[in-house]
Amino acid sequence: MALSLDFLALPLLVAAALVFVSVLAGVVSTRAGFSFLLVFLLAGILAGEDGPGGLVFNDFRLSFWVGNIALAVILLDGGLRTDFDTFRTGLKPSLVLATLGVVLSAGITGAAARWLLDLPWPMALLVGAIVGSTDAAAVFSLLKSSGVRLNERVAATLEIESGMNDPMAVYLTLALIGVALAATTAGSGEGLSALEVLRSLALQFGWGGALGLGAGFAMAELLKRLGRGEDGGGGIRALLLVSGGLTVFAATTWLGGSGFLAVYAMGVIAGNRARRQVRSTLSAMDGYAWLSQAGMFLLLGLLVTPSMLLPTLWPALGVSLVLMLVARPLAVALCLVPLRFPPREIVFVSWVGLRGAVPIVLAMFPLMAGVPGAQTFFNVAFVVVLTSLLLQGSTIAWSARRLGLALPEPDDLRANRLVFGDFVIDGATPMDTLCAFYGLPVPPDAQTDVATWMREELRRPAVEGDSAMLGAAELSVRALEGGRITRVGIRLG
């Protein structure tokens, strides 16, 4: 009797065909301005219980496992591509947004959930914590595919924030699950004490940072000793990086730390200290990251049953709108105004607070912990993610151009003249010489050079595209070397 392999062939056929059709539809949809990730999510829904596919899938534990692995791979890939130079302008605002910003967003969104969903305060704040952080998968992929070149400060802030805010979101979610369980057991002693909450926070950031940095240095040294090798595109070394990153992620999580922070920190250190060796792996890493995103969003789409969303659809949409239009903008403004971010950059950072797989993965925590009414959290998280990808993810390029944040490509002379003006001068030019030649008002310290004057006017680390007014002229940073302004564009009138 011949051995039947239907148990292998049929699931493989369905899975492979679903990924193939999703990728093809994603390529077409991106030309129309829609998020690639949104297509994967919708493909999973259509293949699910309420869609034409009719597949019944409700394994939250498997989805949680796959989602965490996929996020770890995506964060590792993002860390490998993050240059140390971007930390000059992006680290401080990213740290503030990844900590205080997440708390503020969660608190304001929780207040909205309290009113819209009629939940007790512990449950409402838990909803805010679940959807309060931006998503690395969405931010990394959509900024890359948007087709616009942002200035270094905005791009670095968004990318580093999305890579660093998961620990705070996980910490808040776990802490509030403990509070919610304590509230529902009427003081039976279950849940987390204040001391345990602080200990959890210290473990999350302490183990995550320490193990991530240590693993990054060790991986960099290992890659240097192995050299560039003969494996062409670096496929073997990419596999080494992925397996090493997942090992660090798992070990850190097992010890009670933030595996997300650890794997991102490992990627940043290894990517910068072994730059030549890592460069050859980036093409293969890109494939691993896209495969992770495709599998994760398809699986999360399969988990969703649209008919179960209907009872809480309108309140969930209200929570999503409050998050996008009130909570995130207010939190970003409170965090970035003291750091002297221009208003248009604050508006853009607020709008590109993309939600992706992280809120859906976090929404599985209360489901597996047995929190009463946890299905509501999952439904709200899904609606928030769907609206974020649909509204915010599809308008990144448009909003960047509308706010004047899209920088021209270096070889586009016409676009450079429109952005920076018709005249270019050296950053070392004395201010008195510049003002005399163009008939501009002379500043008090006329002997200083243009680069120093601009740095003092900006009062923040300069990036390409920064500008300052001198009389009727607009002076713009056109080029930098090592953080110092080397060329300045002038627009008169």
Side-chain angles (χ1 to χ4, degrees), residues 11 70 106 108 115 135 202 204 210 220 232 247 319 340 349 381 424 435 440 483:
I108 297 169
W115 176 58
D135 181 67
Q204 286 278 319
T247 301
V319 170
R340 299 189 58 81
V349 172
V424 183
C435 295
L440 301 174

Side-chain angles (χ1 to χ4, degrees), residues 105 322-334 346-347 350-351:
S105 292
V322 169
L323 175 60
M324 286 191 290
L325 303 178
V326 180
R328 170 74 177 178
L330 186 57
V332 170
L334 290 173
I346 291 175
V347 171
S350 301
W351 184 244

Side-chain angles (χ1 to χ4, degrees), residues 127-150:
V127 171
I130 287 170
V131 300
S133 68
T134 59
D135 181 67
V139 171
F140 289 156
S141 64
L142 293 178
L143 285 181
K144 191 191 309 181
S145 62
S146 66
V148 294
R149 189 167 74 95
L150 299 169

Side-chain angles (χ1 to χ4, degrees), residues 72-82 140 144 282 285-286 289:
V73 174
I74 293 162
L75 282 167
L76 175 63
D77 178 63
L80 291 171
R81 298 170 191 274
T82 302
F140 289 156
K144 191 191 309 181
L282 292 181
M285 286 299 305
D286 196 45

Side-chain angles (χ1 to χ4, degrees), residues 78-404:
L80 291 171
R81 298 170 191 274
T82 302
D83 291 332
F84 276 149
D85 291 342
T86 64
F87 281 82
R88 177 180 65 90
T89 55
L91 182 59
K92 185 184 293 185
S94 298
L95 278 174
V96 178
L97 287 173
T99 50
L100 178 61
V102 172
V103 173
L104 291 172
S105 292
I108 297 169
T109 307
R114 169 85 170 90
W115 176 58
L116 292 167
L117 294 165
D118 194 26
L119 293 172
W121 273 112
M123 302 291 192
L125 291 174
L126 180 55
V127 171
I130 287 170
V131 300
S133 68
T134 59
D135 181 67
V139 171
F140 289 156
S141 64
L142 293 178
L143 285 181
K144 191 191 309 181
S145 62
S146 66
V148 294
R149 189 167 74 95
L150 299 169
N151 75 46
E152 181 184 296
R153 178 171 50 249
V154 173
T157 298
L158 287 168
E159 291 180 2
I160 298 173
E161 178 208 2
S162 67
M164 298 180 69
N165 64 11
D166 291 333
M168 179 58 76
V170 172
Y171 157 72
L172 286 176
T173 300
L174 292 176
L176 287 166
I177 285 174
V179 174
L181 287 173
T184 55
T185 52
S188 65
E190 295 185 26
L192 295 174
S193 67
L195 183 61
E196 288 173 324
V197 167
L198 292 176
R199 180 175 176 273
S200 173
L201 179 63
L203 285 174
Q204 286 278 319
F205 285 89
W207 279 119
L211 292 181
L213 293 175
F217 283 109
M219 180 60 74
E221 291 303 313
L222 176 61
L223 290 173
K224 288 178 182 177
R225 291 180 182 277
L226 292 175
R228 287 209 258 181
E230 304 297 331
D231 54 312
I236 297 298
R237 279 155 183 75
L239 185 58
L240 182 69
L241 281 166
V242 169
S243 58
L246 291 177
T247 301
V248 171
F249 173 80
T252 306
T253 304
W254 182 57
L255 291 171
S258 170
F260 296 122
L261 176 60
V263 76
Y264 180 71
M266 172 187 162
V268 171
I269 298 297
N272 283 273
R273 290 188 63 86
R275 192 183 300 271
R276 286 198 308 162
Q277 290 76 15
V278 167
R279 190 179 296 122
S280 66
T281 71
L282 292 181
S283 178
M285 286 299 305
D286 196 45
Y288 286 132
W290 274 111
L291 180 61
S292 299
Q293 291 179 96
M296 176 173 59
F297 278 87
L298 281 170
L299 203 59
L300 296 178
L302 280 171
L303 271 180
V304 176
T305 306
S307 59
M308 296 180 63
L309 296 176
L310 294 177
T312 56
L313 178 60
W314 292 111
L317 283 172
V319 170
S320 181
L321 290 175
V322 169
L323 175 60
M324 286 191 290
L325 303 178
V326 180
R328 170 74 177 178
L330 186 57
V332 170
L334 290 173
C335 292
L336 298 188
V337 165
L339 300 178
R340 299 189 58 81
F341 268 60
R344 58 182 182 170
E345 294 183 3
I346 291 175
V347 171
F348 186 77
V349 172
S350 301
W351 184 244
V352 190
L354 296 164
R355 268 64 188 176
V358 169
I360 300 178
V361 172
L362 290 180
M364 296 180 197
F365 278 66
L367 278 166
M368 293 189 295
V371 176
Q375 185 64 45
T376 299
F377 305 149
F378 185 84
N379 294 342
V380 172
F382 181 80
V383 172
V384 168
V385 170
L386 194 62
T387 52
S388 178
L389 293 177
L390 183 62
L391 298 178
Q392 295 173 307
S394 303
T395 56
I396 290 178
W398 176 84
S399 57
R401 296 188 181 100
R402 185 75 175 175
L403 292 167

